[in-house]
Amino acid sequence: MLEKTTQNWKSQAEELDIESRAFINGRFVDAVSGETRTCFNPADGSRLAEVACCGPEDADVAVAGARAVFERGDWAKMAPADRKRILVQWAELIEQNTEELALLECLDVGKPISDTVNVDVPSAVRTIRWSGEAIDKVYDEIPPTPADTLALIQRLPLGVVAAIVPWNFPLSTTAWKLAPSLATGNSVVLKPASATPLSALYIARLAAEAGLPEGVLQVLPGPGGSMGKHLALHMDIDGLTFTGSTPVGQLLMQYSGKSNLKRTFLELGGKSPNIVFADANLDKAAAMAAAAVFYNGGQTCTAGTRLIVEEKILDAFMDKVTGHAAKWMPGNPLDPATRMGPMIDEAQHNNVAEYVKIGHEEGAVLTFGGNRVLDETGGYYHEPTIFCRVSNQMQIAQEEIFGPVLSVIPFADVEEAVNIANDSIYGLAGAVWSNDINTAHSVAAAVRVGTMGINNYFGGDITVPFGGFKQSGNGRDKSIHAFHDYTELKTTWIEFE
Ligand code: NAP
């Protein structure tokens, strides 16, 4: 597939038939108001589609449909083995359409085509297939009660779940939400990010083809501040699963409290520490330090944005990292050689530029990049950027920039490294690089994050849970543990005569 040239992908893009209507009760429909929102390609600012802009009235129809099918039990009471069959078939169909879906995601998000083909689509396929395959292998419990009693502890679906997802990994995060919530028997109303609704609509069609009953999956593009808020406040939604920013996550907890206490699970922002000791494999650590922050243009919740380096190797190590940074210069996402694409939109582009300005004002030393580039394309490209000699108190070390900006912070000893790493409101991910097992493991144990790599960054797969400590969230995506977020525990107590 990747033997294709930029021109091949461009020609294929011109042929794409893009679905832009909402998916409600098994059919693609316009918003009740008839309103649409333009979806743009961040690589050149061109118009991709006019997408249905759903409001509260569409949400109410979708929630009622999702509730009706849940109560009928068409899906919720289907044998797990049959739900498995449909989910696995859905994964197969997505896999068969890898090329088209990867292209759509590339155009909608500005992600490099090599990433959408090799990472985003395969990750969604694996997530849905794995959750489907797992669901008929999960047993409930019988606890050790007295002999004249029998108790059953069962996990039952929550009911109707709303899933609200961001624009930075639209397909992967959608799969992380849909796979376990559907596998456990819920009906789901999905709200994609306004900037990137296209892959969710595409896979909704494939879900119907795979045999998912009507109403079990509803996909509603629309504004978060109104339609998303309406879902979060809805009295007939039982669960809310969210991936996005910490401020919006805080609002969602409030909406839950103000409405029906719907179970609310949040995957939020990060400012992840990547700690390098002098005794590490420095070549590997340097290559991964660049990848950890520049992958997806830094628009990654787990991005290793704080590079915490042992003082005595700082200059030599940073020479290596800078060498790798140069390989991440942005380019056309349709070019198979491109590693980094544009920022998602003008606002995000300006946000990154603003943080670069703040970094200068705070007295950090810019050692690489720092500029907007490729303006002539109409897209939103920014150079990979490195600030050295950053203090962890600076704004660029504390706030999530969500762009290709690395803050490099020196440390003297283990204690200082751990203190810097933990001095953050976030606790999503991190890594430590050292060839001393004692140092590596003690630092990994002391850093308060949901996922910690030792001598790797971005490690993990569908078999392990993913989520944050502190203000990085309270839920867990992926693995069997994700099933817990979408189920209620029910006890049935039986006494024999
Ligand atoms: P965002 O602004 O929080 O938006 C996320 C979603 O929430 C979008 O669908 C948005 O809709 C919706 N939304 C906004 N305001 C809402 C409200 N008042 N009520 C209900 N829904 C609302 O985040 P983003 O800018 O799309 O994504 C970037 C953030 O996501 C970063 O902070 C990143 O760290 C985080 N993230 C976390 C993870 C993780 O797993 N921990 C993974 C990826 C990204 P609109 O699009 O219509 O505004």
Side-chain angles (χ1 to χ4, degrees), residues 209-232:
E209 255 177 74
L212 197 71
E214 284 174 15
V216 172
L217 172 62
Q218 320 274 41
V219 183
L220 295 181
S226 52
M227 199 269 287
K229 177 177 177 180
H230 183 75
L231 288 173

Side-chain angles (χ1 to χ4, degrees), residues 130-279:
W130 191 92
S131 301
E133 283 173 348
I135 197 61
D136 68 344
K137 295 160 192 79
V138 181
Y139 289 71
D140 285 329
E141 297 168 46
I142 296 182
T145 57
D148 57 348
T149 66
L150 175 67
L152 313 175
I153 303 175
Q154 289 172 289
R155 286 203 169 269
L156 302 180
L158 295 177
V160 178
V161 170
I164 301 181
V165 296
W167 48 259
N168 62 334
F169 285 87
L171 187 57
S172 314
T173 45
T174 293
W176 285 6
K177 303 300 189 195
L178 295 186
S181 57
L182 291 173
T184 44
N186 297 281
S187 298
V188 185
V189 180
L190 170 74
K191 193 205 95 59
S194 294
T196 57
L198 302 182
S199 56
L201 294 169
Y202 188 100
I203 65 169
R205 176 175 60 79
L206 299 180
E209 255 177 74
L212 197 71
E214 284 174 15
V216 172
L217 172 62
Q218 320 274 41
V219 183
L220 295 181
S226 52
M227 199 269 287
K229 177 177 177 180
H230 183 75
L231 288 173
L233 283 166
H234 209 290
M235 295 300 285
D236 204 24
I237 288 182
D238 307 287
L240 174 59
T241 178
F242 173 75
T243 296
S245 63
T246 296
V248 173
Q250 288 170 327
L251 285 177
L252 298 186
M253 293 291 263
Q254 292 173 33
Y255 299 157
S256 166
K258 281 186 186 156
S259 55
N260 61 346
L261 291 176
K262 54 184 68 65
R263 307 290 178 264
T264 300
F265 295 104
L266 309 171
E267 305 294 346
L268 308 173
K271 194 75 192 177
S272 297
N274 188 14
I275 306 168
V276 182
F277 283 86
D279 67 353

Side-chain angles (χ1 to χ4, degrees), residues 328-414:
W328 287 88
M329 290 305 284
N332 180 356
L334 286 176
D335 180 345
T338 293
R339 295 174 89 174
M340 186 167 99
M343 304 292 92
I344 188 71
D345 57 22
E346 195 178 355
Q348 188 58 17
H349 204 202
N350 290 339
N351 192 39
V352 173
E354 181 59 24
Y355 272 107
V356 171
K357 190 163 149 265
I358 290 171
H360 285 299
E361 286 165 3
E362 290 182 304
V365 182
L366 182 79
T367 57
F368 192 81
N371 300 304
R372 298 169 189 246
V373 283
L374 303 174
D375 278 353
E376 67 284 3
T377 60
Y380 312 112
Y381 300 87
H382 198 282
E383 286 178 318
T385 295
I386 302 177
F387 279 107
C388 273
R389 302 275 164 196
V390 172
S391 139
N392 198 51
Q393 306 315 315
M394 291 179 183
Q395 233 177 305
I396 58 167
Q398 287 292 326
E399 296 176 12
E400 188 178 43
I401 299 173
F402 232 53
V405 182
L406 180 63
S407 293
V408 183
I409 308 167
F411 72 86
D413 56 27
V414 169

